[in-house]
Amino acid sequence: MFIGKVIGQVVATQKDDKLRGRKLLLVRPLQVENEKNPKLSEYKNTIVAADTCGAGEGQIVLYAQGSSARQADGLKDAPVDAAIIGLVDDIEAFSKQVFGK
């Protein structure tokens, strides 16, 4: 599993039948910088992930990639390489809150 931030949505009017009705979101992977500076920073790459949780733009999410993504509900035979599998409420790293409400 990985942590990322939803930064947008992909609209595809023509796609594989197994993706019909699925929301496709742009996710920017995140990392905790280091022990001295426990804050989230964005990677430069961006992925497209099938949403299984109702995520929205700006939300921090958990996502899976590769064959693990196809284990998410309803994606067993879908041609996906990434799936959003959780919505993050809070992150603590090195005994400090990194993200939260």
Side-chain angles (χ1 to χ4, degrees), residues 21-59:
R22 278 283 170 211
K23 188 164 56 168
L24 301 175
L25 298 175
L26 286 174
V27 177
R28 176 83 33 94
L30 299 173
Q31 66 180 353
V32 177
E33 286 192 9
N34 59 54
E35 193 169 336
K36 292 180 182 178
N37 187 16
K39 70 173 195 165
L40 294 175
S41 62
E42 296 182 357
Y43 283 93
K44 294 184 179 185
N45 63 324
T46 304
I47 63 166
V48 177
D51 183 24
T52 66
C53 296
E57 191 167 342
Q59 279 193 293

Side-chain angles (χ1 to χ4, degrees), residues 9-95:
Q9 186 171 337
V10 175
V11 177
T13 56
Q14 295 198 12
K15 54 190 169 190
D16 188 284
D17 286 339
K18 294 176 183 129
L19 292 176
R20 294 207 188 280
R22 278 283 170 211
K23 188 164 56 168
L24 301 175
L25 298 175
L26 286 174
V27 177
R28 176 83 33 94
L30 299 173
Q31 66 180 353
V32 177
E33 286 192 9
N34 59 54
E35 193 169 336
K36 292 180 182 178
N37 187 16
K39 70 173 195 165
L40 294 175
S41 62
E42 296 182 357
Y43 283 93
K44 294 184 179 185
N45 63 324
T46 304
I47 63 166
V48 177
D51 183 24
T52 66
C53 296
E57 191 167 342
Q59 279 193 293
I60 305 297
V61 296
L62 291 175
Y63 67 95
Q65 287 189 287
S67 60
S68 296
R70 289 184 294 283
Q71 299 301 312
D73 190 33
L75 296 178
K76 182 174 180 171
D77 296 321
V80 298
D81 188 49
I84 294 172
I85 56 171
L87 305 177
V88 174
D89 296 316
D90 190 26
I91 297 172
E92 289 185 27
F94 312 112
S95 302

